[in-house]
Amino acid sequence: MAVTVAGGGGGGGGAGGVWDSVVEITKVAQFKESDPLLWAMQLSSSLNSAGVSLPSTELAHVLVSYICWDNNVPILWKFLEKSLMLKIVPPFLLLSLLSDRVIPSRRLQPAAYRLYMELLKRYAFTLKCQIHDPDNQKVMKSIDAVLHLSENFGLPATEPFILVVEFIFTIVWQLLDASLDDEGLLELTPERESRWPTKPLEMEIDGCNDFDKERTEYQERLQNMNTVMAVEIIGQFLLNKVTSRIIYLARRNLPTHWVGFTQRIQLLGANSVALRNSKILTPEALLQLVSDTRIVFSQECNIKSPKNLHAVITFGSPACSAGLCHGVSCSALWLPLDIFLENVMDGYQVNTTSSVEIITGLIKTLQAINGTTWHDTFLGLLIAVLRLVQRERDLIEGPMPRLDPRLCILLSITPLVIVDLIDEEEAAPIDETECGSTNHWRENKGPGEHRSDLVSSLQVLGDYQGLLTPPQSVVSAANQAAAKAMLFLSGINIGSAYFECINMKDMPVSCSGNLRHLIVEACIARNLLDTSAYFWHGYVNGRIDQIPLSVPTQVPGWSSFMKGAAFTPTMINALVSNPASSLAELEKVFEIAVKGSEDEKISAATILCGASLIRGWNVQEHTIQFITRLLSPPAPADCDGSYSHLIDHAAMLNVLIVGIATVDCVQIFSLHGLVPQLACSLMPICEVFGSCVPNVSWTLPTGEEISAHAVFSNAFALLLKLWRFNHPPIEHGVGDVPTVGSQLTPEYLLSVRNSHLMSAESIHKDRNKKRLLAAASSSYPKPIFVDSFPKLKVWYRQHLRCIAATLSGLIHGTQVHQTVEELLNMMFRKINRGSQSLTSAVSGSSGSSGVVNEDNSLRPKLPAWDILEAVPFVVDAALTACAHGRLSPRELATGLKDLADFLPASLATIVSYFSAEVSRGVWKPAFMNGMDWPSPAANLLNVEEHIRRILATTGVDIPSLSAAGGSSPATLPLPLAAFVSLTITYKIDKASERFLNLAGPALESLAAGCPWPCMPIVASLWTQKAKRWFDFLVFSASRTVFLHNSDALVQLLKSCFTATLGLSTNSISSNGGVGALLGHGFGSHICGGISPVAPGILYLRVYRSIRDIVFVTEEILSLLMHSVREIASSGLPSEKLKNLKTATKNGMRYWQVSLAAAMTKVKLAASLGASLVWLSGGLGLVQSVIKETLPSWFISVHRSEQEGSDGFDGLVAMLGGYALAYFAVLCGAFAWGVDSSSSASKRRPKVLATHLEFLASALDGKISLGCDRATWRAYVSGFVNLMVGCTPTWVLEMDVEILKSLGKGLTQWNEQELAMALLGIGGIGAMGAAAELIIEHDL
């Protein structure tokens, strides 16, 4: 017999001689039936003499080759067992060799298979004693060679502990496939065969001639017993603490293989007779061992002591799941969502990113961090949006978004968010639930479960009647939705035409609907629900037996329009007033807008900008897309470039632009993420019509005539609303630190729009990106750049130069100089200053006449771009003349108004010029005395008093707030005085609205940047003009206090924390939570002439103008830590804390409940702080906080406010650490997301790696810390806990060496469980380190 030895000799003499000697010793012992111990001692002595080190890999090969199968006798198996016991062979290698030889021959050699499994049970679970072998790496490589681990799993055989994972996983899988094969189940697998050898490679004939019946029956019984035993060993591997975690590493890092493995386990559990015959393992228990809900790395979350308090740092702990929301409503879990929703209602800001995308990311973040079910997540989302709608049921009047954008979020944006979330779940790969999981503690359900969670959440939503009351403007729509459900349940089949013909008051029963009915209809329209929702208990009040008979057969409306009714004025008015209910209706209108006559095109455009845009929630995204497509009509095939085809569409384009120019419409475009595309559509219109000489006009069906100047001005004014051009230069980086957030510019808007075209490769899994791509490609399928619009680019560069430096460059005799003179003559044609006109006095020319013909035909017939180029010089000349007394303030205002009336777009350049000049501070003040300039005296004191009361009720007390209405006269910087005088010349009507909406924010921003009390003066002047805007103007003026007084800002931030946490003595905010932070909006018309303004509302309307965001961040951090102390002192009184030193049962229970209550509020405080930081500075500030602010805080020394109070400081320090951990992770999650779907997530690895390196270095003692040790320990354990439990994708992105270093530091703290959890989800690179930690510490 020849014996093959893998791996060559083992030292000393000839290799063949050594192993021949081993075989000879074994033969003799076998023949003599020697004692196995004696054989082992003799063998060891012989090998030691030959210089072979033990345990020997070569010996394992020799012994297995000798036994299988020429010498398969019981005595040799005893020899094998003794060699394992005395460690003269590596156990894992021997088991590998046996599995490779025994399992394929198990049917012919059932006794050997039985003995092999007995050895498995004894030695496969003793991992710890085997990893310290100095030849461990060599042994594992030998195992790899035997079982082909690297080849099977596709991983390099470079790290021995990765091979350990593969070895354990392979052994279990071999037993699994063998068991399936033995029961004839392997044929039912997709592959229909095993990936491991389960049958002999050669025909073995031993015993084939033995037809002894009893022996055959014995063999069969033994085979059946072996199958049962194999199944039970599989269960032992999955149940054993160490091996189950080793297998879990394979589960996380070998997802494709794990899918195949679990499929086989499920097949075994469902069909195995052997499993049902087992006395120690049931099919249910086996399936549970590999189920998604059995997460090996989760930690016990019982609050027993401060040491394991980090277990409740996640909201997913059992304590929170059980509903322990001590003192604060569970709705506080969604506080960041409420803050974001209220933030996007700021009419002064438009977003380039779709709210669908932001809210979807935010919902995924909060669901992961809170650990809530998707039922609770959907319910939290719906309640937050309903709160948004109810917060401003009675909005104050003013140029601000009203109810329609809030309803847009509720009934259009939110259903689209839910669609995206459900699409993502249903399109997810099978193994994503684990390998791409964002939360180990989350409820893991199968595909399609999100839909049922949505249904259950909508059913529960009916219990929140207070939130469901519809605003007056949508009562009719809600009643129709309820009536539709009642008619359906009654079996009455009617179309939408019925509701166009009937008044709800004529219905035989009350059809009282609410906002839930509208939400359900929105979900049905997007295929999230079906009409089975109508059968929900309590959804409708009853049924309808009959319908009113006195109903007109047909009235103008969408139904008759779809049936081909004529496009009459009455029909058009009906379609404008009532929203479309289906995409088909919109498509027909769009077709008319493309192919109809000129009048029909204009009418179709009017319809699209009517109720379908504002209240057509079920099809709103389609309406917006059709409008953007019409704003970019395709060029005809014969267009040679010498003439723009846009001119032929002037009337329709103007109707569209005017129709969407309102504050609400712009906000709706912003919510849907179409601002970049809208800007891209407006730029060509501005370029073309701004280059036209205004010698042509178009007549609208209303009889109104519009010129090229009008089309340009309307388009240009709308374009400028889409980026923050009107903010003072101090916010463009002139001076100190630039303001919060990135500046929107034409280039940036186009780059965002172009990025929508570039996202084609990812649209298959992101419906929102599909929508944006469709909108972008349908207008201009290729990227567009500012260079495509040279006139716009020239104006933009001039605008930037005007901001950066004083005006210069006007050269005498040039076309620009001539235009300046023509404009000045037009503006001040009634002014005669003797021999020299205003124009010549400014420009130095003596040839112009002092008297100008007032005939409008003499107005400059110049393109708009040429006029805009001259406007800064015109305004500078006029302002200079006024400053030197050559022009009265009234004449200045009148002249500027004439210029703005001539070319409304010039208002933008006037704004730009005044904003720049105010910041320079070179102009003398203007005395607002009522003679030269308008006087604010009539109501200035009243305005100031209201400002003080608003601040006081918000918790801000500023004694130094000086009164402008005192002895000193009211003054404004001359440019500001001129600007406000110009704005109050406008009428407050629909025609002026779009231009006031452009000038208004600029005026407020400009006045806010001037010394106090400029803003109250401006507000006083405007309240005289628009008395019904008083509340809005006073509130706007109150915001500027925080820009001039940092102490006021600190007080406001503190009010936000105390109100949210319920720490305030104010009865309104003593309960804390969302309501206390955001309240019910603002207004002075509610109670006694003043209503307290919620601090959160005030901060959300202030923060964009705050320059020193570093100061804001530091204050938020300081207030967070102060709040922790307040929470601890209010939740754990010191006298009760002393009593907790006695470990009584009641004392321990009080400890648990009090700590849980404190932790709930601590997390709420951290959530508020993170939300404010994220909103205040965006991605850049968040990354600065994580990279710089937090490390600096830990290094700095912090003194306790109340040192030495019976351990109280230790508790505060610990809670503070957890608060900072939650704050840091939430900041990162808000900015980057918990997964890799956002573009911002690409910046995450570098920043996070820097922070983790800091943690690891500090743990290693390389960095000295100044903070309390308890704070530091709580922070590190909390931060890592949250990453492991809520953001595992973050861990996967980290360098393995950083994770190993951090894991080492945690191990030194005896936090082996946490270190193992961190490494366990760190990817394949960290798998070996995780396995080593599991084995080393028996985790």
Side-chain angles (χ1 to χ4, degrees):
M1 180 202 71
V3 178
T4 303
V5 180
V18 172
W19 306 118
D20 288 344
S21 170
V22 166
V23 171
E24 189 61 31
I25 292 171
T26 303
K27 279 184 178 181
V28 172
Q30 174 189 351
F31 179 75
K32 294 182 177 180
E33 296 187 349
S34 300
D35 183 87
L37 178 60
L38 182 63
W39 167 83
M41 294 176 61
Q42 184 179 2
L43 192 63
S44 298
S45 175
S46 174
L47 291 175
N48 287 332
S49 300
V52 177
S53 59
L54 299 178
S56 168
T57 57
E58 293 82 1
L59 177 60
H61 281 276
V62 169
L63 294 178
V64 171
S65 296
Y66 180 73
I67 293 174
C68 302
W69 294 106
D70 294 336
N71 299 285
N72 180 25
V73 293
I75 188 64
L76 288 180
W77 284 92
K78 293 181 180 180
F79 289 172
L80 273 185
E81 202 276 337
K82 189 60 66 174
S83 69
L84 289 170
M85 183 182 297
L86 298 180
K87 299 180 180 179
I88 60 176
V89 292
F92 283 0
L93 176 58
L94 185 68
L95 292 175
S96 300
L97 291 167
L98 289 174
S99 69
D100 185 54
R101 301 294 295 274
V102 173
I103 290 178
S105 302
R106 67 191 180 283
R107 291 177 183 170
L108 293 174
Q109 306 290 345
Y113 186 38
R114 183 78 173 189
L115 293 170
Y116 159 72
M117 288 190 288
E118 290 290 348
L119 294 179
L120 266 184
K121 291 170 64 175
R122 295 185 188 183
Y123 295 100
F125 298 96
T126 59
L127 282 78
K128 185 175 181 179
C129 62
Q130 301 181 39
I131 64 171
H132 296 297
D133 191 325
D135 291 332
N136 184 46
Q137 189 163 358
K138 175 186 176 184
V139 171
M140 294 312 302
K141 286 187 176 181
S142 298
I143 293 173
D144 180 43
V146 173
L147 297 179
H148 312 289
L149 301 178
S150 302
E151 179 182 339
N152 284 324
F153 294 106
L155 301 179
T158 54
E159 192 171 346
F161 285 98
I162 290 181
L163 292 172
V164 170
V165 175
E166 295 173 331
F167 164 71
I168 295 294
F169 192 33
T170 297
I171 291 296
V172 177
W173 202 331
Q174 285 180 325
L175 291 175
L176 176 60
D177 278 3
S179 301
L180 290 172
D181 189 33
D182 289 342
E183 298 198 69
L185 300 175
L186 199 58
E187 293 290 324
L188 302 179
T189 62
E191 299 84 359
R192 302 178 63 85
E193 62 181 4
S194 174
R195 63 185 302 131
W196 319 105
T198 57
K199 297 178 180 178
L201 297 178
E202 298 177 358
M203 179 66 70
E204 297 192 19
I205 59 174
D206 291 354
C208 288
N209 295 324
D210 187 357
F211 292 100
D212 182 78
K213 183 177 180 181
E214 291 184 4
R215 177 173 176 79
T216 302
E217 291 177 353
Y218 170 76
Q219 293 268 37
E220 290 178 355
R221 286 197 305 272
L222 186 56
Q223 287 175 3
N224 293 336
M225 292 170 60
N226 284 347
T227 304
V228 173
M229 185 176 183
V231 170
E232 291 175 347
I233 292 176
I234 293 171
Q236 289 181 37
F237 271 103
L238 294 172
L239 189 61
N240 179 270
K241 183 178 180 181
V242 174
T243 55
S244 65
R245 294 190 171 192
I246 294 292
I247 293 172
Y248 184 72
L249 292 176
R251 172 183 186 167
R252 284 207 61 90
N253 298 290
L254 303 170
T256 305
H257 298 84
W258 180 259
V259 171
F261 178 79
T262 54
Q263 287 175 345
R264 283 165 161 76
I265 287 286
Q266 290 164 358
L267 182 63
L268 186 73
N271 300 282
S272 173
V273 176
L275 181 57
R276 289 195 291 273
N277 291 337
S278 172
K279 296 180 180 180
I280 63 174
L281 185 66
T282 65
E284 295 76 18
L286 178 64
L287 295 175
Q288 179 63 27
L289 290 175
V290 294
S291 69
D292 291 330
T293 55
R294 183 179 180 269
I295 305 302
V296 182
F297 288 165
S298 63
Q299 301 188 35
E300 293 297 323
C301 296
N302 298 321
I303 310 169
K304 296 182 179 178
S305 68
K307 181 179 183 300
N308 65 354
L309 183 60
H310 64 267
V312 298
I313 193 68
T314 64
F315 274 120
S317 66
C320 183
S321 300
L324 294 177
C325 296
H326 307 276
V328 179
S329 168
C330 284
S331 64
L333 297 178
W334 311 103
L335 176 71
L337 178 59
D338 283 272
I339 293 175
F340 169 78
L341 292 174
E342 189 59 53
N343 180 62
V344 297
M345 286 297 103
D346 187 350
Y348 291 169
Q349 180 76 6
V350 295
N351 292 321
T352 57
T353 305
S354 165
S355 291
V356 175
E357 178 181 340
I358 299 175
I359 296 174
T360 301
L362 190 55
I363 285 297
K364 290 194 289 187
T365 292
L366 293 176
Q367 190 273 335
I369 301 253
N370 293 340
T372 55
T373 64
W374 278 103
H375 163 88
D376 290 337
T377 300
F378 288 136
L379 186 61
L381 169 62
L382 293 168
I383 289 176
V385 182
L386 284 169
R387 279 197 295 262
L388 177 74
V389 173
Q390 300 295 350
R391 195 171 292 128
E392 297 292 359
R393 291 180 60 87
D394 301 309
L395 278 172
I396 62 174
E397 288 197 56
M400 56 185 292
R402 303 188 67 80
L403 184 62
D404 288 319
R406 294 172 186 263
L407 291 171
C408 166
I409 290 184
L410 174 66
L411 300 172
S412 183
I413 298 298
T414 298
L416 291 174
V417 168
I418 296 172
V419 165
D420 286 358
L421 290 170
I422 290 179
D423 277 358
E424 182 177 344
E425 181 225 15
E426 294 180 348
I430 296 174
D431 59 315
E432 187 184 46
T433 54
E434 179 57 36
C435 305
S437 170
T438 55
N439 185 5
H440 288 188
W441 291 289
R442 71 181 175 87
E443 180 184 0
N444 194 355
K445 296 184 176 182
E449 291 298 326
H450 282 13
R451 287 184 183 270
S452 61
D453 287 332
L454 173 63
V455 169
S456 62
S457 66
L458 284 169
Q459 290 171 336
V460 173
L461 190 65
D463 298 334
Y464 295 83
Q465 289 298 320
L467 288 173
L468 296 175
T469 305
Q472 190 60 39
S473 61
V474 294
V475 167
S476 176
N479 290 345
Q480 283 191 12
K484 179 181 177 183
M486 294 175 68
L487 290 168
F488 179 86
L489 293 180
S490 304
I492 301 174
N493 185 18
I494 61 171
S496 60
Y498 178 78
F499 295 107
E500 297 172 356
C501 304
I502 190 173
N503 190 315
M504 286 293 102
K505 295 179 181 178
D506 298 329
M507 294 294 286
V509 298
S510 173
C511 299
S512 178
N514 58 34
L515 291 176
R516 184 170 72 140
H517 294 103
L518 293 177
I519 295 171
V520 167
E521 289 301 318
C523 291
I524 291 174
R526 290 178 171 82
N527 297 318
L528 293 170
L529 300 174
D530 55 31
T531 51
S532 63
Y534 298 157
F535 293 91
W536 294 346
H537 176 71
Y539 185 72
V540 291
N541 297 328
R543 304 196 178 199
I544 300 174
D545 296 329
Q546 61 181 358
I547 60 176
L549 300 178
S550 58
V551 176
T553 56
Q554 188 169 354
V555 297
W558 286 102
S559 297
S560 54
F561 169 67
M562 294 300 289
K563 293 177 181 177
F567 216 41
T568 63
T570 305
M571 173 66 74
I572 293 169
N573 289 335
L575 301 186
V576 170
S577 304
N578 298 284
S581 59
S582 68
L583 177 57
E585 294 170 348
L586 291 177
E587 287 174 336
K588 185 171 182 179
V589 175
F590 178 74
E591 185 179 2
I592 293 174
V594 173
K595 300 178 181 179
S597 65
E598 286 302 310
D599 285 352
E600 287 178 335
K601 289 181 178 181
I602 293 172
S603 298
T606 305
I607 292 168
L608 288 175
C609 295
S612 294
L613 173 60
I614 299 297
R615 288 184 282 113
W617 305 296
N618 298 345
V619 290
Q620 196 170 58
E621 67 272 25
H622 301 296
T623 306
I624 293 173
Q625 185 173 334
F626 284 137
I627 290 173
T628 56
R629 288 176 64 181
L630 289 177
L631 285 170
S632 306
D638 58 351
C639 183
D640 60 0
S642 60
Y643 174 83
S644 175
H645 68 287
L646 294 176
I647 296 175
D648 296 331
H649 300 278
M652 183 187 70
L653 293 175
N654 190 71
V655 168
L656 290 167
I657 293 167
V658 173
I660 64 175
T662 64
V663 174
D664 283 351
C665 288
V666 171
Q667 201 70 12
I668 289 171
F669 268 81
S670 174
L671 293 173
H672 281 276
L674 268 295
V675 162
Q677 180 54 45
L678 178 59
C680 182
S681 298
L682 290 171
M683 288 180 190
I685 298 174
C686 292
E687 188 73 16
V688 170
F689 288 93
S691 303
C692 291
V693 177
N695 55 4
V696 295
S697 62
W698 301 268
T699 303
L700 301 179
T702 59
E704 177 189 359
E705 277 198 4
I706 57 170
S707 66
H709 279 184
V711 178
F712 169 78
S713 293
N714 291 329
F716 194 56
L718 180 55
L719 175 63
L720 295 185
K721 292 176 191 175
L722 308 183
W723 54 285
R724 298 180 66 177
F725 94 102
N726 55 5
H727 283 244
I730 203 168
E731 295 196 14
H732 289 264
V734 179
D736 298 331
V737 182
T739 189
V740 174
S742 61
Q743 297 302 323
L744 300 182
T745 63
E747 293 97 334
Y748 179 71
L749 289 172
L750 289 178
S751 69
V752 173
R753 180 263 173 193
N754 293 339
S755 70
H756 296 160
L757 294 175
M758 301 295 106
S759 61
E761 68 278 1
S762 61
I763 63 170
H764 66 282
K765 56 183 179 181
D766 192 326
R767 189 178 291 201
N768 183 59
K769 288 183 178 178
K770 287 182 182 179
R771 289 188 288 268
L772 296 175
L773 173 63
S777 59
S778 62
S779 300
Y780 297 103
K782 295 183 179 179
I784 304 293
F785 303 96
V786 173
D787 291 340
S788 303
F789 315 108
K791 297 289 186 179
L792 174 63
K793 185 176 180 181
V794 167
W795 177 88
Y796 180 56
R797 297 293 179 240
Q798 183 191 42
H799 164 71
L800 295 180
R801 287 196 301 272
C802 181
I803 287 174
T806 55
L807 198 61
S808 63
L810 181 60
I811 302 174
H812 182 78
T814 60
Q815 179 60 48
V816 175
H817 179 266
Q818 182 179 347
T819 304
V820 169
E821 289 199 344
E822 291 181 19
L823 291 173
L824 286 171
N825 282 326
M826 177 196 72
M827 294 164 61
F828 306 110
R829 57 190 176 274
K830 297 180 180 179
I831 304 170
N832 190 343
R833 300 294 186 186
S835 62
Q836 191 178 35
S837 70
L838 173 67
T839 311
S840 59
V842 173
S843 64
S845 170
S846 58
S848 58
S849 172
V851 180
V852 180
N853 193 321
E854 296 184 21
D855 188 355
N856 287 341
S857 65
L858 297 181
R859 287 187 170 190
K861 299 293 185 180
L862 297 172
W865 290 120
D866 293 350
I867 295 173
L868 288 183
E869 186 179 6
V871 166
F873 301 102
V874 171
V875 181
D876 184 67
L879 194 63
T880 302
C882 183
H884 290 84
R886 294 192 298 273
L887 196 65
S888 71
R890 184 180 297 275
E891 291 167 340
L892 173 64
T894 304
L896 292 175
K897 182 63 164 60
D898 285 346
L899 174 61
D901 287 344
F902 167 59
L903 181 66
S906 62
L907 184 61
T909 303
I910 294 172
V911 167
S912 176
Y913 171 81
F914 280 147
S915 298
E917 292 304 311
V918 166
S919 68
R920 297 194 223 288
V922 298
W923 298 91
K924 66 180 183 180
F927 291 91
M928 315 303 289
N929 52 19
M931 293 178 289
D932 299 321
W933 297 94
S935 172
N939 58 352
L940 180 56
L941 290 175
N942 189 29
V943 167
E944 289 182 332
E945 178 60 25
H946 274 76
I947 291 174
R948 288 193 191 90
R949 293 174 66 183
I950 286 176
L951 297 180
T953 54
T954 310
V956 178
D957 181 22
I958 307 296
S960 61
L961 197 62
S962 62
S967 58
S968 60
T971 63
L972 292 177
L974 182 61
L976 178 58
F979 190 20
V980 70
S981 297
L982 168 62
T983 59
I984 61 178
T985 63
Y986 278 86
K987 293 181 180 180
I988 303 177
D989 55 21
K990 191 170 184 180
S992 301
E993 179 185 3
R994 53 187 176 273
F995 300 108
L996 281 176
N997 289 342
L998 181 68
L1003 177 62
E1004 182 182 337
S1005 180
L1006 189 57
C1010 294
W1012 187 266
C1014 288
M1015 188 62 208
I1017 293 172
V1018 171
S1020 299
L1021 292 170
W1022 255 98
T1023 54
Q1024 296 174 37
K1025 169 77 175 181
K1027 292 181 174 58
R1028 68 178 187 269
W1029 287 5
F1030 182 86
D1031 296 337
F1032 168 78
L1033 293 166
V1034 169
F1035 177 77
S1036 297
S1038 68
R1039 298 186 292 181
T1040 61
V1041 173
F1042 304 100
L1043 310 183
H1044 298 279
N1045 192 310
S1046 60
D1047 185 51
L1049 182 59
V1050 173
Q1051 289 186 49
L1052 177 60
L1053 286 169
K1054 185 175 182 180
S1055 291
C1056 290
F1057 277 91
T1058 55
T1060 304
L1061 300 172
L1063 301 176
S1064 173
T1065 56
N1066 187 329
S1067 59
I1068 294 177
S1069 58
S1070 59
N1071 292 327
V1074 176
L1077 177 68
L1078 299 177
H1080 301 283
F1082 55 86
S1084 62
H1085 58 292
I1086 298 178
C1087 179
I1090 189 72
S1091 171
V1093 178
I1097 294 287
L1098 201 51
Y1099 183 79
L1100 292 177
R1101 302 299 180 257
V1102 167
Y1103 76 86
R1104 287 189 178 91
S1105 300
I1106 299 172
R1107 295 180 58 217
D1108 193 353
I1109 56 174
V1110 175
F1111 169 77
V1112 172
T1113 304
E1114 291 173 350
E1115 287 302 321
I1116 290 174
L1117 204 56
S1118 175
L1119 286 168
L1120 173 60
M1121 301 309 290
H1122 175 76
S1123 298
V1124 169
R1125 177 170 290 277
E1126 292 293 313
I1127 291 167
S1129 61
S1130 63
L1132 293 171
S1134 57
E1135 63 273 9
K1136 291 189 177 181
L1137 187 63
K1138 294 178 182 178
N1139 297 334
L1140 295 181
K1141 293 180 179 179
T1142 58
T1144 63
K1145 183 177 180 180
N1146 291 335
M1148 184 58 66
R1149 184 181 295 114
Y1150 180 83
W1151 170 265
Q1152 293 176 5
V1153 173
S1154 298
L1155 268 183
M1159 277 302 300
T1160 299
K1161 284 197 172 184
V1162 164
K1163 289 181 284 188
L1164 180 58
S1167 174
L1168 172 62
S1171 301
L1172 296 181
V1173 167
W1174 173 50
L1175 288 177
S1176 299
L1179 177 63
L1181 181 59
V1182 166
Q1183 294 184 162
S1184 175
V1185 166
I1186 293 175
K1187 285 178 64 177
E1188 301 166 10
T1189 307
L1190 285 174
S1192 298
W1193 191 94
F1194 287 117
I1195 293 172
S1196 304
V1197 177
H1198 304 276
R1199 295 294 180 187
S1200 173
E1201 298 177 14
Q1202 302 174 7
E1203 293 186 3
S1205 55
D1206 298 322
F1208 179 72
D1209 284 332
L1211 176 63
V1212 171
M1214 180 183 63
L1215 289 175
Y1218 293 129
L1220 290 174
Y1222 198 72
F1223 168 79
V1225 172
L1226 264 182
C1227 279
F1230 291 155
W1232 301 319
V1234 293
D1235 52 24
S1236 300
S1237 59
S1238 70
S1239 58
S1241 65
K1242 297 174 183 176
R1243 305 186 186 185
R1244 179 173 58 215
K1246 184 177 180 180
V1247 177
L1248 189 58
T1250 300
H1251 191 64
L1252 294 185
E1253 285 175 349
F1254 166 75
L1255 300 187
S1257 297
L1259 285 173
D1260 199 30
K1262 297 176 182 177
I1263 298 176
S1264 298
L1265 302 175
C1267 66
D1268 191 290
R1269 291 181 61 187
T1271 301
W1272 172 245
R1273 180 158 186 159
Y1275 175 78
V1276 174
S1277 60
F1279 189 88
V1280 175
N1281 246 308
L1282 285 166
M1283 278 205 310
V1284 169
C1286 307
T1287 62
T1289 302
W1290 296 11
V1291 182
L1292 278 171
E1293 295 169 346
M1294 292 299 97
D1295 183 81
V1296 173
E1297 294 306 316
I1298 294 177
L1299 297 180
K1300 289 180 179 178
S1301 179
L1302 189 54
K1304 179 182 177 183
L1306 291 170
T1307 303
Q1308 293 171 354
W1309 275 357
N1310 292 323
E1311 292 277 7
Q1312 292 90 353
E1313 287 273 357
L1314 189 54
M1316 180 267 296
L1318 176 69
L1319 294 169
I1321 64 170
I1324 291 175
M1327 184 166 65
E1332 182 178 8
L1333 192 63
I1334 292 169
I1335 297 169
E1336 180 69 34
H1337 296 277
D1338 285 332
L1339 297 178

